[in-house]
Amino acid sequence: MRFRATRTALAIGAIVWAGIGHASPPNFLVKWQIDSAIVGIHSSIPPTCVQPTANAVATWNSVGANFLLFPDFIVSQPRVAEQRPDYDYKNVTIEDGVPSNPLALMAARVTMNTSTKVLQNADIVVDKRRLWNNDPTQIQLSCSTATNIPPAEVDWESAILHELGHVVGIDDSQSDISCSMYFELGPGQKQRSLCADEKLVYIDAYKPFKITSLANLAGPQGVNIPAQIFFEGIPKFPVQRKTKIVECASDWSCSDYNGSYSTYTSSPLTFNFKCTNSSPLPTATFKWRTTLVDANGVTTNAVDHTSTCTRPAGTTQTSTVDVSGGVGRVIITD
């Protein structure tokens, strides 16, 4: 959040507050891989800011953010520089400091992996000049929960609601002033609720880890038959695939197969079916049930599917048993 003349802006640029109509919704950038994060306020933040912060947290929680707050969070939260990495990862700390942008009133410090869309850490720093009236020459933040905002101050609840939006992985909105993620907020103004686009973006981004489709497949014996597991959500890798045999074709040998995907892979995940028989056998269909389990132990829905191994064209077969004396076997490879 930054200031120019009588305007304050969130993230980039201060421009005249104008009634720009709806355009594209705010972009979703990254996602947490933990079920919930703890929001804590360091004692450098005025106690009067606790309630509007709790209000903003509740607003995001209403669409599923699952932030946690504790009654003593203002006195027990250490500064980010004093936190162990594992504590820092699970805690979103709000503290005073000096934002990297000298015009910013407050800013979310977000560490992300843009290739995996995984949010690795997030905290919020508030310009210490804007608190406690430390510098009367600078625009101040108002932690009042009253309906009317002092005309020369910026509403804390609106500003922290915006920064928490960055914490959950949402980018600024450049076009819709009715959204909390709109990049600008004026003194005396407030935006203490989420617009419809923000709710939809969040809910869509934080869909649970789920298999959406795994098609029934068919292919010739002795050839890899590629399979694709389409999923939604952002699982924590490595992800395990568990494929159980539900029904094996007569005179074939079948087993359960587990596979692993060690590094981040976008949907779909892939594997192969193959019928290994040394001589042609009748076309056979096998029924399977597959689930995925991520590194947090989150298990997807189970999906039933089939693989069919067809007798190669132009071949003849007079027995259901491999003429070499063996038994046909269906295998799964990654």
Side-chain angles (χ1 to χ4, degrees), residues 87-167:
Y87 183 96
D88 189 20
Y89 174 65
K90 296 177 182 179
N91 285 260
V92 178
T93 301
I94 304 171
E95 62 181 9
D96 77 349
V98 181
S100 57
N101 182 342
L103 297 178
L105 293 174
M106 62 174 66
R109 299 176 296 198
V110 177
T111 303
M112 66 183 77
N113 186 320
T114 54
S115 63
T116 64
K117 293 186 177 294
V118 170
L119 196 155
Q120 298 167 322
N121 190 46
D123 297 293
I124 297 172
V125 60
V126 182
D127 188 344
K128 60 185 179 182
R129 299 174 300 169
R130 322 287 185 174
L131 301 168
W132 308 94
N133 206 30
N134 283 332
D135 186 348
T137 68
Q138 302 295 322
I139 191 168
Q140 297 293 298
L141 286 154
S142 169
C143 290
S144 172
T145 57
T147 301
N148 296 323
I149 311 302
E153 297 180 0
V154 173
D155 182 40
W156 172 281
E157 184 174 334
S158 299
I160 205 71
L161 181 70
H162 176 100
E163 299 306 330
L164 288 171
H166 290 315
V167 166

Side-chain angles (χ1 to χ4, degrees), residues 1-222:
M1 183 180 236
R2 66 189 193 181
F3 169 74
R4 180 186 296 172
T6 58
R7 312 308 305 172
T8 55
L10 297 155
I12 58 169
I15 64 173
V16 175
W17 184 290
I20 303 174
H22 283 263
S24 59
N27 293 322
F28 173 77
L29 297 176
V30 287
K31 176 186 173 182
W32 286 101
Q33 287 190 323
I34 53 178
D35 292 335
S36 61
I38 300 167
V39 177
I41 297 183
H42 183 258
S43 58
S44 60
I45 303 299
T48 53
C49 298
V50 172
Q51 187 56 56
T53 300
N55 294 345
V57 165
T59 298
W60 278 109
N61 283 353
S62 69
V63 294
N66 200 26
F67 285 123
L68 299 179
L69 285 173
F70 296 109
D72 63 345
F73 73 123
I74 193 168
V75 297
S76 61
Q77 191 75 4
R79 282 194 177 275
V80 173
E82 301 167 350
Q83 297 174 12
R84 301 183 311 273
D86 59 335
Y87 183 96
D88 189 20
Y89 174 65
K90 296 177 182 179
N91 285 260
V92 178
T93 301
I94 304 171
E95 62 181 9
D96 77 349
V98 181
S100 57
N101 182 342
L103 297 178
L105 293 174
M106 62 174 66
R109 299 176 296 198
V110 177
T111 303
M112 66 183 77
N113 186 320
T114 54
S115 63
T116 64
K117 293 186 177 294
V118 170
L119 196 155
Q120 298 167 322
N121 190 46
D123 297 293
I124 297 172
V125 60
V126 182
D127 188 344
K128 60 185 179 182
R129 299 174 300 169
R130 322 287 185 174
L131 301 168
W132 308 94
N133 206 30
N134 283 332
D135 186 348
T137 68
Q138 302 295 322
I139 191 168
Q140 297 293 298
L141 286 154
S142 169
C143 290
S144 172
T145 57
T147 301
N148 296 323
I149 311 302
E153 297 180 0
V154 173
D155 182 40
W156 172 281
E157 184 174 334
S158 299
I160 205 71
L161 181 70
H162 176 100
E163 299 306 330
L164 288 171
H166 290 315
V167 166
V168 298
I170 299 177
D171 198 4
D172 287 321
S173 169
Q174 301 291 321
S175 60
D176 192 345
I177 63 174
S178 71
C179 292
S180 70
M181 296 311 295
Y182 187 64
F183 71 100
E184 180 184 64
L185 180 68
Q189 303 287 332
K190 66 179 186 291
Q191 181 55 53
R192 295 176 175 175
S193 60
L194 305 178
C195 68
D197 282 342
E198 288 166 336
K199 294 177 181 179
L200 291 174
V201 165
Y202 180 88
I203 292 170
D204 184 66
Y206 279 84
K207 289 177 180 176
F209 185 29
K210 176 184 178 181
I211 297 175
T212 56
S213 68
L214 204 175
N216 297 329
L217 301 170
Q221 297 167 12

Side-chain angles (χ1 to χ4, degrees), residues 209 238-242 258-261 269 291-295:
F209 185 29
V239 168
Q240 306 296 319
R241 186 198 70 249
K242 297 184 177 182
N258 296 330
S260 180
Y261 307 90
L269 301 176
T291 57
L292 299 173
V293 183
D294 81 350

